[in-house]
Every structure is written in C-alpha cells, then in structure tokens.
Amino acid sequence: MKLLVTVDEIENNKAALLLRGPEGERPLGIFPLENLPAGTNVGDILSLSFEKEEEETIAARQRIHSLHKALEK
C-alpha cells in the first residue's frame, strides 16, 4: 500500500503535509523541510513508505518493561 501526501504549505523551513485518501485530504503534520526530498515545493505530491525497525522495537519494549517493573515496586 502506498500512502500519498500533499505539501500544503511551507513556512520557516517547515512543511505542512496533508494525507491523501479516498474521502479527501486531512492534516498529517508539520515536518522539517530538510527531511523531505530536495526541491520539495507547495503542491508537490510525495509518497510515504514504512519499514519495521526490529532493533528499535526490541529496545522500546525493553524500556517499557523496565518502567513497568519500576512502577510495580
């Protein structure tokens, strides 16, 4: 599945992105322009892709487990 976003506006090196869907567009968030492809302009359509980060997931679960243990004491 490919997710598409529209660059709605750019201000102070930040871009407001809208998530495109069958029912129209809705706000997704504000992102630093440096994290978007070079030359990104208002009105551009960008695609999003996701990858599962196994190591990050494991580390996050370990942190949460440790916090739960600490709260149980």
Side-chain angles (χ1 to χ4, degrees):
M1 179 171 146
K2 184 194 281 189
L3 294 177
L4 298 176
V5 298
T6 302
V7 180
D8 186 43
E9 60 182 89
I10 295 175
E11 188 175 312
N12 298 323
N13 290 318
K14 294 182 181 166
L17 302 181
L18 303 174
L19 183 62
R20 298 168 58 91
E23 290 119 25
E25 297 176 318
R26 62 179 188 214
L28 177 64
I30 307 296
F31 295 84
L33 199 53
E34 65 192 31
N35 292 346
L36 301 177
T40 295
N41 291 302
V42 171
D44 286 349
I45 307 297
L46 307 175
S47 63
L48 298 176
S49 64
F50 298 94
E51 295 178 28
K52 188 170 181 178
E53 298 288 342
E54 290 293 341
E55 290 179 18
E56 293 290 331
T57 300
I58 291 167
R61 287 181 179 157
Q62 289 172 343
R63 282 192 307 276
I64 291 169
H65 180 74
S66 295
L67 286 171
H68 284 177
K69 285 264 193 204
L71 290 172
E72 289 174 356
K73 292 182 180 183

